[in-house]
Amino acid sequence: MSAGILIAEDEEPLRVLLRYNLEAEGYAVEETDRGDEAELKLRESVPDLLILDWMLPGLSGIELCRRLRQRPETRGLPIIMLTARGEEADRVRGLSTGADDYIVKPFSVPELLARVRALLRRAKPAEIADRLTLGDIELDRVQHRVRRAGQDLHLGPTEFRLLEFLMRQPGRVFSREQLLDGVWGRDVYLDERTVDVHVGRLRKAVGHGGAPDPIRTVRGSGYSFDETFR
Ligand code: CA
């Protein structure tokens, strides 16, 4: 599925140019020329990335950005802020308001596209890749296959989802509760020891033949995929 991008920009030629080029890159683009309209759209659905002009009628980009960061639904939304040259002093303000990146007009389209790609990669690494590779472990999300050093590993469906979940954010420590939510789903009530059981099975499958254990137990906290495992 292609990533969705909302453009909030009141200069029509620029909006048209951005839309044209982003669509040519395969993104699903929506646009608006007003800040207040952008806010309404974002309440209806959250795109994968927002390109936000600094000065917009209805509601300024900076105020919209601040509001978006206060809502849990849009707290992590990648935002690229656009502004006119000479507003460098605002740069710091823009970033402190919560924009992820900042581009000064006039900018080149390839530069913007590169920033968009970089930000989407950073924000959603696992949503884009069909294959996750860390160290000698390769997880193919499409074929539902895991290989280690080229050998197929045999994981149960829960162990597969657990490994995928951990590999998406290597180094990040997840509590048992977070793992239950992320892997089993929020509506399921299970004892937290269930997580330990499946981590144990996963370790057994992944560590087949005495290979190093990529899963780290963090005492009192939970588990993580070892970041130093390469
Ligand atoms: Ca403007």
Side-chain angles (χ1 to χ4, degrees):
M1 226 185 75
S2 62
I5 298 179
L6 175 64
I7 305 170
E9 167 60 73
D10 58 331
E11 283 170 56
E12 201 192 350
L14 180 55
R15 208 170 58 238
V16 169
L17 180 78
L18 288 176
R19 178 178 203 131
Y20 175 82
N21 282 283
L22 289 165
E23 283 181 344
E25 291 277 303
Y27 299 115
V29 179
E30 282 222 54
E31 60 176 72
T32 171
D33 58 358
R34 295 183 57 90
D36 46 2
E37 202 181 295
E39 186 175 37
L40 287 176
K41 278 181 178 286
L42 289 161
R43 280 187 182 273
E44 280 164 21
S45 72
V46 180
D48 296 294
L49 184 137
L50 170 65
I51 297 177
L52 180 61
D53 185 31
W54 185 273
M55 296 297 285
L56 283 171
L59 178 69
S60 76
I62 192 112
E63 174 59 19
L64 176 57
C65 189
R66 203 181 58 76
R67 291 186 191 177
L68 292 172
R69 289 303 182 235
Q70 285 171 353
R71 290 178 53 214
E73 298 84 358
T74 48
R75 192 164 288 153
L77 170 66
I79 299 175
I80 296 179
M81 195 82 103
L82 305 179
T83 192
R85 194 173 286 284
E87 291 174 333
E88 285 297 305
D90 289 336
R91 187 193 160 98
V92 178
R93 229 175 101 214
L95 293 174
S96 68
T97 310
D100 297 275
D101 204 349
Y102 192 93
I103 294 193
V104 179
K105 296 177 195 172
F107 51 84
S108 76
V109 169
E111 184 194 352
L112 179 92
L113 293 176
R115 304 262 195 112
V116 165
R117 276 194 298 271
L119 203 49
L120 284 172
R121 230 182 0 246
R122 208 162 80 204
K124 292 187 142 190
E127 302 296 314
I128 289 168
D130 288 337
R131 201 176 280 180
L132 297 168
T133 307
L134 286 166
D136 59 355
I137 299 179
E138 187 183 298
L139 183 144
D140 190 318
R141 303 169 75 220
V142 178
Q143 295 183 6
H144 247 255
R145 249 168 95 167
V146 181
R147 308 180 115 213
R148 181 159 196 181
Q151 299 286 318
D152 276 315
L153 300 180
H154 301 286
L155 303 187
T158 304
E159 285 71 42
F160 183 90
R161 287 202 308 275
L162 183 59
L163 180 64
E164 182 190 347
F165 191 82
L166 291 169
M167 281 179 77
R168 278 183 186 200
Q169 296 187 65
R172 176 163 167 199
V173 179
F174 293 99
S175 68
R176 289 171 178 80
E177 199 187 335
Q178 284 170 327
L179 289 170
L180 280 176
D181 278 354
V183 177
W184 281 265
R186 267 168 219 280
D187 305 328
V188 185
Y189 178 77
L190 287 168
D191 194 281
E192 291 191 354
R193 273 169 299 186
T194 307
V195 175
D196 300 330
V197 171
H198 287 276
V199 167
R201 285 186 196 157
L202 176 59
R203 278 188 161 137
K204 207 170 157 204
V206 169
H208 190 71
D213 184 3
I215 297 161
R216 198 157 58 92
T217 304
V218 183
R219 280 189 65 175
S221 301
Y223 297 100
S224 82
F225 192 94
D226 192 350
E227 200 171 21
T228 60
F229 177 80
R230 298 275 172 219

